[in-house]
Amino acid sequence: MTVAATPAPSPVTTGGESGVRLARSRRNAELSLLLLAMVLVAAYGATVEANLLDTVTPDFWMPAAALGAVFLGLHLVIRFLAPFADPALLPAVALLNGLGVGFLRRIDLGEAAPVDRESLAIFAGIGGRQLAWTLASVILAAGLLAIMRDHRSVSRYAYTLGLAGIVLVMLPAVLPRSISEINGAKLWIRVGSFSIQPGEFAKLALLVFFAYYLVRKREVLSLASRRFLGIDFPRGRDLGPVVVVWLISLLVLVFEKDLGTSLLYFGMFVVTLYIATERVSWLLIGLILFFGGAYLAYVLGEMVGGPFANFYLRAEIWLDPFADPTDKGYQLVQGLLALGTGGLFGAGPGGGQPEILPEVQNDFIFAGIGEEIGLFGLSALLVVYLLIVERGLRAALAVRDSFGKLLAGGLAFTLGLQVFVIVGGISKLIPLTGQTTPFLSAGGSSLMANWLLIAVLLRVSDGARRPVSGSAGKAARPTGGPPEQLHGAPTEVIKP
Amino acid sequence: MPELVITVARFGFLILLWIFVFTVVGVIRRDLFAGARSGRLVAAPRAVGASTGQAAKPAKVKRGRAAHQLVVTAGQLAGTRITLGEAQITIGRAEDSTLVITDDYASARHARLVPRDGQWFVEDLGSTNGTYLDRAKVTGPTPVPLGVPIRIGRTSLELRP
């Protein structure tokens, strides 16, 4: 309709220049970082073997090579389908995933009989299973990148995904205990020896729904408010949905006996609400509601027990793990001792005793790794997590549409919150809850869901960094997405 | 395996881990600088919208120059800019508008900007909540000076040279 007939002078050229500068795809940087990450994984494997077997087998590089091959495949998919995606995301995640596989293989090596150790097949044991899961997850993530050419297209399925998310969350709660309960938490669906954790996938589905709902409601949520004590509080009726999600998260807490997951859902919603409205009052309301709810559950657990007893027990262990160090507090105490044994530089990969730790392959993997690489190594891993979250938030800042902003911001925050919940749990900062450590812990559901999350972040960051000015950007934009916001007029973004 | 090799491997791994971290930070830092520099080159719309003093300044300096761009300075589309040609610009929630604003206080066909002899005129198309040029409600076709905000609901637009 409107065509730029007069070529506009200076401002446009400036915009064009900045577009060119931002338009560098950085794929080669990603490739070299990925290679470095795989070298690290191979070095880890070699060190483990040197420590455990007293020799380095000629096949030590096999797991790293298998991982490297599949990550390289994902890199190629990104190169062709999301050329402007963030270059730091894939290598950082690949490193964490690779070290996770390496550590799980190290547990297998430690548990295998000494004669079998040198000939342990790469797909054997939990390490091998994790390796297989990684291959499957990465292929799934590549598939998601191929299907979802524009992150805005998922908003079309927002209500379906929201419903699916709630069903997935509630499913383990209503299923009989024999199918859904593992270690006191009803989070699972078990079919034979195969078990999936639907909550991990629900996280993604619910976040898409939250982002879509809040994009539609943000105006009324941030405009209509009453001022009280210098903070703008929303009207009572606008609080409806947040109260509903709060109730769901409390129900999860009570019936699935999992504080971590409930904290995760609730934190996810409150933070997306905060991103949508820029109101600090939501954070305050969220924190007060959550701590109020958790305290109430603690008091109820002490007085009436029943469904609250599990939470009460966990809180008691958290308050004083050494009260019963050989039974109830055993896991947490062993985790703390492992971290303490590791000290500053750790016992060296393969030099610790992770087999003492209960659930070292899942919840306590961070303590198990910490014993061997020490504070120095653990802080590097935490910085890698921090970088992943930062890149996600950066993509959220840079992307142009509100839905993408909420989606990327919420996903990145959720990942960070999950790391906080589990690392805080094993280091006795908060009550311990059964969360997986993203990309490190053994478990297909968690790995797959987190890789899908990374695929979405890659897609959003591709949309954010893709040059919007000029015909190249227009031509590269896939057709068939939702209607574009601006018609007939060439538009550019000033604010990066 | 000699003790020395194991010690070297152990610390070598930790050092390599941190080298990886710093390499990633290096890659990101270059990205961050690229973003920051381009941010400084072009005026940040939010600051302009927030303080009217800053908004008045460029308008005064560049008075008399023709408008070449329409910039959204506040609202959901903040940061969007449209290069002005000779065709009119329609603003509203309707999908066929030139500038589609998803503002709860905007009408489907809210207002339009029409060029006449190098001067742009804003005209309200019978919207529910009205169009404002700075503080004054727009009743008929009104000339729009550079840098003066046109307000539609929560959205603010400005003409820029």
Side-chain angles (χ1 to χ4, degrees):
Chain A
M1 195 160 140
T2 311
V3 184
T6 356
S10 55
V12 164
T13 35
T14 341
E17 267 169 27
S18 75
V20 167
R21 201 182 305 123
L22 285 173
R24 286 192 301 157
S25 69
R26 315 297 312 271
R27 289 277 72 83
N28 293 333
E30 181 183 80
L31 184 61
S32 19
L33 280 177
L34 195 58
L35 288 180
L36 182 56
M38 287 306 109
V39 167
L40 253 165
V41 173
Y44 181 82
T47 318
V48 163
E49 292 197 348
N51 255 321
L52 276 179
L53 314 177
D54 235 13
T55 173
V56 178
T57 59
D59 294 337
F60 80 92
W61 50 272
M62 294 271 278
L67 286 169
V70 71
F71 291 145
L72 197 68
L74 184 59
H75 166 78
L76 289 177
V77 169
I78 294 173
R79 199 173 264 268
F80 287 111
L81 296 181
F84 295 98
D86 198 286
L89 273 175
L90 175 64
V93 175
L95 175 77
L96 291 173
N97 197 339
L99 288 184
V101 171
F103 182 73
L104 294 172
R105 187 172 163 79
R106 178 249 172 278
I107 296 175
D108 293 337
L109 282 175
E111 281 172 354
V115 283
D116 298 334
R117 282 183 180 176
E118 289 196 23
S119 56
L120 193 71
I122 68 161
F123 283 106
I126 43 173
R129 206 159 69 195
Q130 180 81 346
L131 183 58
W133 273 116
T134 306
L135 306 188
S137 309
V138 172
I139 290 168
L140 209 66
L144 185 66
L145 273 177
I147 296 169
M148 187 177 66
R149 293 299 181 83
D150 186 337
H151 61 268
R152 283 171 296 179
S153 61
V154 265
S155 67
R156 277 184 286 184
Y157 311 107
Y159 282 101
T160 320
L161 284 171
L163 186 67
I166 289 178
V167 168
L168 285 175
V169 170
M170 299 319 269
L171 207 53
V174 294
L175 282 174
R177 211 160 268 253
S178 59
I179 296 179
S180 64
E181 189 169 277
I182 292 179
N183 294 336
K186 287 185 69 170
L187 281 173
W188 302 80
I189 299 176
R190 275 192 301 187
V191 185
S193 65
F194 194 75
S195 59
I196 64 165
Q197 210 173 349
E200 296 281 347
F201 297 98
K203 215 167 56 179
L204 290 172
L206 282 177
L207 200 72
V208 172
F209 170 69
F210 288 168
Y212 181 75
Y213 175 81
L214 290 172
V215 165
R216 313 224 22 194
K217 287 281 177 185
R218 63 191 292 183
E219 298 289 313
V220 68
L221 284 174
S222 65
L223 261 188
S225 59
R226 258 170 298 176
R227 221 169 157 74
F228 180 66
L229 292 177
I231 301 164
D232 289 314
F233 284 99
R235 292 181 305 180
R237 69 184 110 151
D238 299 329
L239 274 170
V242 71
V243 170
V244 168
V245 177
W246 176 64
L247 281 176
I248 290 178
S249 72
L250 276 193
L251 286 178
V252 168
L253 177 64
V254 171
F255 290 105
E256 303 187 3
K257 300 175 183 171
D258 190 29
L259 175 70
T261 310
S262 95
L263 177 60
L264 211 59
Y265 291 143
F266 191 64
M268 197 164 86
F269 186 71
V270 169
V271 166
T272 36
L273 204 52
Y274 170 65
I275 300 173
T277 59
E278 298 179 26
R279 298 261 160 154
V280 186
S281 60
W282 285 117
L283 294 182
L284 282 178
I285 293 170
L287 284 175
I288 291 169
L289 278 177
F290 190 82
F291 283 117
Y295 184 72
L296 195 71
Y298 174 74
V299 172
L300 280 177
E302 186 175 21
M303 291 196 312
V304 297
F308 301 100
N310 183 282
F311 177 66
Y312 174 72
L313 182 66
R314 289 199 176 213
E316 283 291 291
I317 294 171
W318 167 60
L319 288 171
D320 189 5
F322 292 95
D324 191 2
T326 51
D327 181 28
K328 286 178 188 144
Y330 182 73
Q331 193 183 23
L332 186 57
V333 165
Q334 289 302 321
L336 291 173
L337 288 178
L339 287 174
T341 314
L344 203 51
F345 294 106
Q353 289 164 306
E355 50 279 354
I356 299 177
L357 267 169
E359 292 295 318
V360 69
Q361 74 276 24
N362 285 324
D363 303 356
F364 271 67
I365 194 161
F366 216 70
I369 293 180
E371 186 184 5
E372 304 198 330
I373 64 175
L375 180 68
F376 200 66
L378 276 193
S379 30
L381 291 188
L382 286 178
V383 172
V384 171
Y385 277 119
L386 190 69
L387 289 174
I388 296 173
V389 174
E390 193 270 341
R391 291 328 282 166
L393 293 177
R394 180 82 200 166
L397 283 177
V399 80
R400 293 169 71 219
D401 64 302
S402 328
F403 176 71
K405 275 182 194 301
L406 283 175
L407 188 63
L411 288 176
F413 173 79
T414 309
L415 193 69
L417 184 64
Q418 189 172 351
V419 174
F420 170 76
V421 165
I422 182 60
V423 176
I426 60 167
S427 55
K428 204 175 92 70
L429 183 69
I430 57 172
L432 177 68
T433 63
Q435 278 298 311
T436 57
T437 316
F439 305 111
L440 286 177
S441 294
S445 308
S446 158
L447 198 61
M448 214 170 246
N450 283 316
W451 267 108
L452 291 178
L453 186 154
I454 291 298
V456 176
L457 282 186
L458 282 169
R459 177 50 76 202
V460 175
S461 73
D462 176 53
R465 290 157 45 92
R466 189 184 287 271
V468 283
S469 57
S471 54
K474 281 260 187 226
R477 187 168 297 154
T479 49
E484 291 183 34
Q485 296 226 297
L486 302 165
H487 287 263
T491 60
E492 308 154 26
V493 174
I494 296 181
K495 202 167 56 177
Chain B
M1 277 267 152
E3 194 63 35
L4 181 70
V5 176
I6 289 181
T7 312
V8 168
R10 184 179 142 196
F11 286 103
F13 172 74
L14 290 180
I15 292 166
L16 207 56
L17 201 58
W18 276 102
I19 289 176
F20 176 82
V21 168
F22 281 109
T23 323
V24 172
V25 170
V27 167
I28 292 171
R29 203 189 54 177
R30 254 185 282 164
D31 266 18
L32 287 179
F33 277 138
R37 221 178 292 142
S38 76
R40 243 177 275 132
L41 280 172
V42 216
R46 183 170 284 191
V48 175
S51 69
T52 42
Q54 272 185 1
K57 228 177 183 178
K60 207 177 254 175
V61 174
K62 282 156 188 169
R63 190 175 296 278
R65 283 183 60 185
H68 285 291
Q69 294 205 313
L70 176 68
V71 176
V72 184
T73 54
Q76 279 193 6
L77 290 177
T80 309
R81 60 165 137 173
I82 294 179
T83 308
L84 298 174
E86 271 151 22
Q88 65 166 1
I89 303 239
T90 54
I91 302 161
R93 298 209 297 189
E95 287 289 336
D96 59 347
S97 309
T98 318
L99 182 65
V100 183
I101 46 179
T102 50
D103 193 311
D104 286 352
Y105 298 89
S107 302
R109 287 172 214 293
H110 198 106
R112 63 175 179 176
L113 280 162
V114 192
R116 212 161 291 161
D117 306 329
Q119 173 66 50
W120 286 82
F121 288 79
V122 65
E123 196 179 340
D124 191 88
L125 299 174
S127 63
T128 314
N129 292 313
T131 307
Y132 292 83
L133 185 62
D134 207 3
R135 308 255 162 195
K137 189 161 184 171
V138 174
T139 44
T142 314
V144 187
L146 292 181
V148 174
I150 303 165
R151 296 183 209 281
I152 292 170
R154 301 189 71 213
T155 307
S156 256
L157 313 148
E158 270 181 38
L159 291 182
R160 298 266 175 91

